[in-house]
Amino acid sequence: DSSYVIDSSENPVVSLYSVSIDNEEASTNSKGIYIIPRECRKLSIEVSIQEKDIFRDKKLRFYLSDDKGMFETKSPILSIRQMPAPGTYDMSVSCLKRNGEWSTPVTLMTMKIPQLWYLTWWFISCGILFILLITSTIFGMVIRHKDNRLKEAMRVHDQKVYEEKVKLLINISHELRTPLTLIMAPLKRILKSMDSESEEYPTL
């Protein structure tokens, strides 16, 4: 058909057709986000391309947001076998036009790759709280142990002081009793030899 004119600047219309995770069709959550598990081995994204020239081989470029990756393919199905780091990404796509230019990227989908459970904020917070609790418990036990040792040392010291005082009083009593005994014996003899009626007889 010599009158048929091909528009080389035509922008192909690319739209999302399906998403599958490990060969099983995926669905979005209530917010329209695809949740991709960390253990996913294969993520397949299929698009449909609408263009007047349906027989032209079309080359596609898929982009992940924040420059996390770019995939180029001649197939309308993109297969990703190595998942990017945990986070939320927008997947965009552009198509190579007949004139050699790439069409403006359009957003196909938003996907989220959850963080590993042991790297989530709540697990790290619980771990920090647990460590603080254990540390404070051990610190309290050490303080109580030192306090008990100090109390025991003070009790032993007080006991020794008390024993020393008793021993000192016993020694003083013994030292005083010996000379008093030596004085009392001759004093009794003198009193016995004196007349109780005498004026020199001591009276209390």
Side-chain angles (χ1 to χ4, degrees):
D1 186 357
S2 59
S3 62
Y4 181 76
V5 178
I6 297 176
D7 184 6
S8 61
S9 62
E10 178 187 3
N11 278 312
V13 178
V14 184
S15 58
L16 182 64
Y17 182 73
S18 67
V19 177
S20 61
I21 299 172
D22 293 334
N23 298 322
E24 293 186 6
E25 188 172 353
S27 58
T28 61
N29 60 11
S30 58
K31 297 181 179 179
I33 299 175
Y34 288 90
I35 305 299
I36 312 300
R38 286 285 297 167
E39 60 273 14
C40 172
R41 295 185 298 273
K42 180 182 178 182
L43 173 64
S44 298
I45 302 171
E46 185 175 0
V47 298
S48 64
I49 307 170
Q50 296 179 8
E51 189 182 36
K52 290 181 179 180
D53 186 0
I54 60 176
F55 299 104
R56 183 175 72 90
D57 289 335
K58 302 171 183 65
K59 186 179 291 187
L60 299 170
R61 279 183 180 176
F62 293 86
Y63 306 92
L64 277 178
S65 58
D66 301 329
D67 297 327
K68 295 297 182 181
M70 188 272 288
F71 310 92
E72 188 171 308
T73 176
K74 291 183 178 180
S75 170
I77 300 176
L78 172 68
S79 295
I80 302 176
R81 297 185 180 274
Q82 184 174 0
M83 297 300 107
T88 302
Y89 303 95
D90 289 328
M91 177 67 77
S92 304
V93 64
S94 64
C95 182
L96 184 65
K97 297 187 290 186
R98 181 178 289 275
N99 61 6
E101 297 177 355
W102 289 96
S103 63
T104 303
V106 294
T107 302
L108 288 177
M109 57 180 283
T110 300
M111 64 180 186
K112 180 178 182 180
I113 302 176
Q115 183 62 271
L116 294 173
W117 63 270
Y118 54 83
L119 295 178
T120 55
W121 66 268
W122 59 267
F123 182 81
I124 294 175
S125 300
C126 290
I128 293 174
L129 289 177
F130 179 75
I131 292 174
L132 291 176
L133 179 62
I134 294 298
T135 304
S136 61
T137 302
I138 294 175
F139 183 74
M141 291 174 63
V142 171
I143 293 297
R144 284 195 296 272
H145 180 67
K146 287 186 177 181
D147 188 53
N148 292 335
R149 287 183 59 185
L150 181 60
K151 288 181 179 178
E152 181 64 19
M154 292 179 65
R155 188 189 66 79
V156 172
H157 177 71
D158 292 342
Q159 182 68 23
K160 287 184 178 180
V161 171
Y162 175 76
E163 291 177 357
E164 292 294 333
K165 287 182 179 179
V166 171
K167 190 180 295 185
L168 178 62
L169 291 175
I170 292 174
N171 291 336
I172 292 175
S173 174
H174 178 72
E175 294 297 329
L176 291 176
R177 189 185 303 129
T178 301
L180 288 177
T181 303
L182 296 174
I183 295 172
M184 284 296 293
L187 184 59
K188 286 181 179 180
R189 288 196 296 271
I190 293 173
L191 291 175
K192 287 181 179 180
S193 64
M194 293 181 65
D195 185 6
S196 59
E197 299 297 333
S198 173
E199 294 179 358
E200 295 179 358
Y201 193 83
T203 58
L204 296 176

